[in-house]
Amino acid sequence: MTEWVTGRVSAVRHWSDKLFSLRVEADLAPYQAGQFTRLGLMLPTAEGALERVAHAYSFVNPPQAGYHEFYIVLIPQGRLTPHLQQLQVGDTLWLARQASGFLTLDELPAGRDLWMLSTGTAIGPFLSLLAAGGIAERYSQLVLAHGVRWGSELSYRDEISQLQARWPGRVHYVPCVTREPWREGIAGRIPAAIAQGALEACVGLPFSADASRFVLCGNPQMVKETLQALQLRGFRKHLRREAGEICMENYW
Ligand SMILES: Cc1cc2nc3c(=O)[nH]c(=O)nc-3n(C[C@H](O)[C@H](O)[C@H](O)COP(=O)(O)OP(=O)(O)OC[C@H]3O[C@@H](n4cnc5c(N)ncnc54)[C@H](O)[C@@H]3O)c2cc1C
């Protein structure tokens, strides 16, 4: 049974008409960087009763932050996100007290280089993992690829710059913008960039069986096609019963 606690919105940031971040104060059970919890609101049913509607959202913050932050995209016809987008400082919402998820440092395969490949709001758990810091002790090179349609969807740039300054030369940020020419990174989707060798070329870091480990998060189509592209290069899923190089989490 989910244990629900009340949270209070302490900050709201609207990055665009669809993308927003909620900072929430709530008494949650301890969690790890890369995990998610569930956010919920009481919403009216067709019959006029109230029911709790809740979905999974990843923490963007490191656990030591002292607040909980979520990066959310509005699904215009969605049940919950249009209401989450309306929340203001001081409003309350429900949070599952206990976090879940396996995109955590102790579940990632050991290696030299970690390639974190995300789309949309799924950059969130990677920002959490990076800011938590332990990842920089485990891996030498940290690549953060972010697939979006438009350059205006490349949120959290200041935080990414701070991470790059914290570990000079070790945090490689690769925006992958599909619908408009962009001044940096890659023009196109992550799976194609892998298949064409463009991702490695952009970072200046070739894939290798010994060194490269991958963690994929976001749009299930991207996750599926990226997995296929990596499997064609000889990499395998990382399972508890059989070590491989690739971990992943689908957002829907
Ligand atoms: C482990 C996990 C972590 C998640 N973390 C986040 C997060 O940090 N931020 C976040 O915005 N969402 C996240 N999601 C998705 C989130 O749980 C909801 O599915 C989403 O917010 C839809 O809510 P809704 O009720 O408005 O839409 P619904 O009425 O439930 O409509 C769902 C449909 O919207 C689309 N959709 C769902 N999520 C997304 C998305 N993120 N980007 C684009 N299209 C989407 C899909 O087509 C899906 O079938 C996560 C999902 C999982 C499983």
Side-chain angles (χ1 to χ4, degrees), residues 4-12 20 22-27 38-43 50-53 70 72 80 83-96:
W4 295 99
V5 298
T6 306
R8 181 186 157 277
V9 176
S10 59
V12 181
F20 58 101
L22 296 177
R23 206 172 264 201
V24 180
E25 289 165 358
D27 185 16
R38 292 172 72 208
L39 303 183
L41 291 172
M42 300 304 284
L43 297 176
L50 281 179
E51 67 174 357
R52 181 167 22 229
V53 179
F70 306 93
I72 302 173
L80 182 62
H83 300 277
L84 291 177
Q85 195 198 33
Q86 298 303 318
L87 291 175
Q88 297 184 7
V89 171
D91 287 343
T92 57
L93 71 169
W94 293 101
L95 294 93

Side-chain angles (χ1 to χ4, degrees), residues 19 33 37 59 73 83 141 143 146 193 222 225:
L19 291 166
T37 189
F59 295 97
V73 63
H83 300 277
Q141 299 299 311
V143 182
H146 190 199
M222 178 286 271
E225 291 177 25

Side-chain angles (χ1 to χ4, degrees), residues 27-40:
D27 185 16
L28 302 183
Y31 56 88
Q32 297 179 60
Q35 289 196 303
F36 62 88
T37 189
R38 292 172 72 208
L39 303 183

Side-chain angles (χ1 to χ4, degrees), residues 232-244:
L232 283 174
R233 296 288 300 270
F235 298 107
R236 300 150 304 163
K237 276 191 203 176
H238 179 63
L239 306 171
R240 279 187 173 163
R241 60 186 150 80
E242 193 182 349

Side-chain angles (χ1 to χ4, degrees), residues 19-20 35-37 43 53-60 69-84 100-101 119-125 217-220 249-252:
L19 291 166
F20 58 101
Q35 289 196 303
F36 62 88
T37 189
L43 297 176
V53 179
H55 286 309
Y57 296 93
S58 302
F59 295 97
V60 178
E69 182 163 323
F70 306 93
Y71 178 43
I72 302 173
V73 63
L74 168 71
I75 313 295
Q77 310 306 327
R79 183 84 203 279
L80 182 62
T81 53
H83 300 277
L84 291 177
S100 330
T119 55
T121 53
I123 192 173
C217 189
N219 172 334
E249 184 169 84
N250 283 312
Y251 261 23
W252 67 91

